[in-house]
Amino acid sequence: MLLSKAYLITHRALFFAFRHGFTLLHTKSEARSLLPAFAPPPISRALKGSQLPQFAALDVNTYAKLLDSCTRLKLLAEGKEIHRQIFMHSSCARNSVLLEKIVQMYISCSETESARLVFDDVPQPSVFLWNAMIRAYAWNGPFDRAIGLYERMMDSGVEPNKFTFPFVLKACSGLEALEDGIKIHDEVKRAGLESDLYISTALIDMYMKCGCLEDADEVFCRMPNRDVVAWNAMVAGCTLHGMYEEMVRFVLEMQRMRTRPNPSTLVALLPVVGQAKALGQGKSIHAFCTRRCFDEGDVLVNTALLDMYAKSECLVYARRIFDHMRIRNEVTWSAIIAGYVLCGRMVDALQVFGQMISEGPSIVGPTSLASILRACASLGDFDRGRLVHSYLVKSGLLMDITVANSLLSMYAKVGTISDAISFFDEMDTKDTVSYSAIISGCIQNGNAEEALDVFREMVSSSMEVDAATMVGVIPACSHLAALQHGKCNHAYITSHGLASDSSVCNALIDMYAKCGKIEIARKVFDTMPKQDTVSWNTIIAGYGIHGLGDEAISLFLRMEPAGLVPDDITFICLLSACSHSGLIAQGKHWFYAMTEIYNIVPRMEHYICMVDLLGRGGLLDEAYDFIKKMPFEADVRVWVALLGACRVHKNIELGEEVSRMIQKLGPEGTGSFVALSNLYSATGRFNEAAQVRIMQKEKGFTKSPGCSWFEIGGVVHAFIGGDQSHPQSSSIYQKLEELLVEIRKLGYLADTSYALHDVEEEEKEHALVYHSEKLAIAFGLLRLRHGQPIFITKNLRVCGDCHNAIKYITLAAKRDITVRDANRFHHFKDGMCSCGDFW
């Protein structure tokens, strides 16, 4: 009863006010003082079943004026209550004027779906109301509903006006719905509105967003009048597509036509200036901002300037702007963090992130978190990455696919592939980037077979495969020498139109070269639509690992006439090719030509190649002097290269000197420990070899076991030395024993210096028999038809005894055998090897 009285008093007060000429509520407080303060009940159709108290109805004009006030002041609760009251009185409930007012009220309060429920009950909506609903969806989404409403409007016979088209074209821009946009453009022409300033600007924006730059330019050129917004649309379109020169042309033309850039122009302009790293141009724009006072307190302009400096790798200026900003939004913090990440200053990025958490916005956005995860990945900071993961779970931001992919990439890059795979399996939504990240992570962590399994899952799920994914997948085939998989992927690339992508072709060249098919690699290279420096480097390196140094040099000489300048990587590939082919004189020539002709300063990798070249050629003293004359101190890798040569040429005295240098510097990886151990074992100094292995274990370095792969019928079979886990193990070992008998008859004697333990000679020979490459070859002889060549891949350098044994096996089995070890290819045929026993 009290509630009914309260309503009655309120409505009488309102009615009295309107009767006495008080027709407009000026403030929210005035309006609320005349309306109930309690929460309103549900609206629209949901009210039909409610039993509500009846009140005396106000007239239509009074309700209309009340709704106008609620619309203007955005009073949602009060507007709902008025809607309820109107709905309760049948005389007003179907009134078109009031229904339109209610729709407008809900739109003004951003209640688009509530507005749509009422809109659908309006018998014949006016063009104004159609426009209001289309605009609401165009601004707030979903965009497809704006286009749907436009089509329904056309079907109902309501003619769109000049206000309709900009709204629906904005929705087309948001969806990049080019086909719908073209149809609307045709309607604009039929309506004779193509010269309208606002419609033309909306068309420019739509065409730019859909990538139709020529169409946008055509609309722009036909405009009889242009304001700053139209010019900004063209500038923003150029920015969207990274068209720096075109953007500069538009801005200069804009000023020539006496249209002054405004802050929006500069916010659109600066991102592409940063992408182009046009620092001089960016500074000029900054000076213009200062002269026009655009940067005084404008967070958008200052953030755009900060971002431009960060992308131009001028972090001093970026940080100066950041520190002087009184107001910073989440985008500002993201920009400075992303700048530090871009410039490789990951520690600084993490420090700013900590500052952001303590004094920045209350909610950290996905962009900032994605940058921080990249920083964690770069630093290998697993613990901090896990903390960010926890924050993402609590904040619900893992629903953002970009953030989820960054987290996935972080786990893969810090070496915790098991965590990456677990998280990948838990992801509710996956896109092409997700699959590419996990595939690349598997490859980087040596899980090539897992990478191929994930790719097969990706294809079977009908996920779109792009060039980046294929660039991640193909190295898995290279790693396993899985030629059949590689060929299937090549066919997929061709059938899906990815063969024109240079990065994909470069990956194919590398894959075919590493799978022993250098001639196919060359064919891919020759038929590429466009070759880049990486293409030339890859094919030169391919010839190098096959011991085809002359071909590598010949190709290198064709590089400059083709319009490409060799870089430092090119010379690493070239020097390595000379080393693998024993081309000592040529290697020396190109090393010095690199500096004298091409002005490339040699770095550590070039010196490693030269030491390897001289060492493999037996010029150990010259290699030692070469190291001593280096312009900077040699690192462990240089000395290990020489130590390996000492092992091959059994120069114990120099080997001990080199080993002392390595111990002085401190071994940095498994390779140096293994080389030292091998040297001592080869000379019978097994106690020293044991001490090296103990030191290796204490420092946490583990030697990867020798593993060889053999592919047949698309299935990759793996073998580890002495392992008997293969299903056909008994047959393999029996075949190997038979081979041993046959090659001994041909003169083979086991080189027990490659057995690295102090045991009896017979035990050493027995250990050598079961090296992984020999097991793989025996399996190949069992599975392949007579005369078919055998192709083996090994993860380590092939040992001298196996190398010698395989030459004899080619004679006994009358087979060509190819072994790809960690350094190069060995093509065995008729008792000879393509490396000339030089590896």
Side-chain angles (χ1 to χ4, degrees), residues 294-497:
F294 286 164
D295 58 343
E296 289 186 7
D298 192 315
V299 68
L300 296 179
V301 171
N302 278 302
T303 299
L305 285 167
L306 184 160
D307 181 64
M308 179 275 296
Y309 281 122
K311 287 176 179 173
S312 300
E313 300 182 16
C314 186
L315 287 176
V316 174
Y317 284 7
R319 186 60 194 246
R320 191 175 298 168
I321 292 172
F322 178 82
D323 290 337
H324 282 84
M325 288 177 68
R326 294 188 299 274
I327 301 173
R328 303 170 184 146
N329 58 19
E330 201 274 330
V331 180
T332 310
W333 289 94
S334 295
I336 192 68
I337 291 170
Y340 279 123
V341 172
L342 178 68
C343 296
R345 292 173 57 176
M346 306 303 174
V347 174
D348 291 317
L350 292 173
Q351 288 176 347
V352 174
F353 180 69
Q355 183 184 353
M356 178 183 181
I357 294 295
S358 62
E359 63 184 69
S362 58
I363 298 175
V364 181
T367 306
S368 303
L369 291 165
S371 295
I372 285 303
L373 286 168
R374 284 193 286 275
C376 293
S378 179
L379 293 171
D381 193 339
F382 176 74
D383 293 334
R384 198 185 297 259
R386 292 286 296 224
L387 289 175
V388 175
H389 188 176
S390 299
Y391 178 87
L392 293 172
V393 172
K394 293 175 183 177
S395 64
L397 284 171
L398 272 182
M399 299 300 291
D400 186 293
I401 189 67
T402 302
V403 174
N405 287 340
S406 297
L407 181 62
L408 179 64
S409 181
M410 184 278 294
Y411 278 131
K413 287 179 180 177
V414 299
T416 55
I417 193 63
S418 57
D419 289 308
I421 292 171
S422 297
F423 178 66
F424 177 78
D425 292 337
E426 292 170 5
M427 288 175 67
D428 294 326
T429 305
K430 298 168 187 167
D431 61 6
T432 302
V433 178
S434 313
Y435 279 94
S436 297
I438 194 66
I439 288 169
S440 298
C442 288
I443 296 295
Q444 292 164 9
N445 289 278
N447 295 33
E449 292 179 83
E450 182 77 26
L452 292 175
D453 289 341
V454 172
F455 178 67
R456 281 190 285 268
E457 176 191 328
M458 181 181 184
V459 173
S460 64
S461 65
S462 300
M463 182 72 66
E464 181 183 355
V465 178
D466 60 9
T469 308
M470 296 311 303
V471 170
V473 170
I474 296 169
C477 305
S478 304
H479 180 78
L480 296 171
L483 181 61
Q484 192 63 36
H485 288 288
K487 285 181 175 180
C488 290
N489 288 335
H490 191 176
Y492 184 94
I493 286 164
T494 304
S495 63
H496 286 73

Side-chain angles (χ1 to χ4, degrees), residues 12-195:
R12 283 176 178 169
L14 288 170
F15 187 68
F16 178 83
F18 281 113
R19 284 188 62 182
H20 287 79
F22 185 71
T23 58
L24 185 63
L25 302 176
H26 293 283
T27 65
K28 291 186 179 184
S29 60
E30 288 174 0
R32 285 177 176 145
S33 68
L34 298 175
L35 291 170
F38 45 83
I43 62 169
S44 194
R45 295 182 179 85
L47 294 174
K48 292 182 179 178
S50 303
Q51 295 298 318
L52 299 170
Q54 298 297 311
F55 305 106
L58 300 179
D59 60 58
V60 172
N61 288 336
T62 305
Y63 279 131
K65 290 173 182 177
L66 284 171
L67 287 167
D68 284 339
S69 293
C70 292
T71 299
R72 186 172 57 82
L73 299 172
K74 297 180 173 55
L75 300 175
L76 177 60
E78 292 79 355
K80 283 185 176 182
E81 176 57 27
I82 295 169
H83 180 191
R84 174 183 176 278
Q85 292 301 322
I86 292 170
F87 188 82
M88 290 301 302
H89 301 289
S90 57
S91 61
C92 298
R94 304 299 297 173
N95 186 281
S96 295
V97 173
L98 291 181
L99 289 175
E100 291 203 8
K101 297 282 186 184
I102 293 168
V103 171
Q104 293 168 40
M105 182 273 296
Y106 282 124
I107 289 173
S108 73
C109 296
S110 300
E111 291 283 325
T112 309
E113 292 308 315
S114 297
R116 179 62 182 272
L117 287 171
V118 181
F119 176 85
D120 289 341
D121 285 338
V122 178
Q124 291 182 328
S126 64
V127 66
F128 175 82
L129 198 65
W130 283 103
N131 290 347
M133 279 305 308
I134 292 169
R135 181 180 64 177
Y137 282 126
W139 280 97
N140 304 313
F143 300 132
D144 59 321
R145 301 199 72 179
I147 299 172
L149 266 180
Y150 169 80
E151 292 172 347
R152 181 177 148 193
M153 175 185 178
M154 297 293 289
D155 292 340
S156 68
V158 178
E159 286 292 326
N161 60 19
K162 65 178 183 179
F163 300 106
T164 312
F165 295 114
F167 301 147
V168 70
L169 285 169
K170 180 176 175 59
C172 293
S173 298
L175 291 173
E176 297 180 16
L178 178 60
E179 187 176 341
D180 290 314
I182 291 172
K183 289 178 181 177
I184 294 166
H185 192 176
D186 291 337
E187 291 292 335
V188 169
K189 291 176 182 177
R190 278 193 288 273
L193 294 171
E194 195 174 13
S195 61

Side-chain angles (χ1 to χ4, degrees), residues 232-310:
N232 287 352
M234 291 298 293
V235 172
C238 292
T239 296
L240 179 66
H241 297 285
M243 299 163 58
Y244 173 71
E245 293 179 1
E246 289 82 355
M247 181 205 66
V248 171
R249 177 174 65 82
F250 271 111
V251 173
L252 293 175
E253 179 68 11
M254 175 182 183
Q255 294 180 84
R256 192 181 69 79
M257 297 299 291
R258 300 185 182 280
T259 302
R260 288 187 176 183
N262 63 10
S264 297
T265 314
L266 303 176
V267 170
L269 180 68
L270 286 164
V272 76
V273 174
Q275 289 168 10
K277 291 183 169 51
L279 184 58
Q281 187 75 53
K283 287 182 177 179
S284 297
I285 295 169
H286 190 179
F288 177 83
C289 289
T290 303
R291 287 196 302 273
R292 298 293 302 277
C293 300
F294 286 164
D295 58 343
E296 289 186 7
D298 192 315
V299 68
L300 296 179
V301 171
N302 278 302
T303 299
L305 285 167
L306 184 160
D307 181 64
M308 179 275 296
Y309 281 122

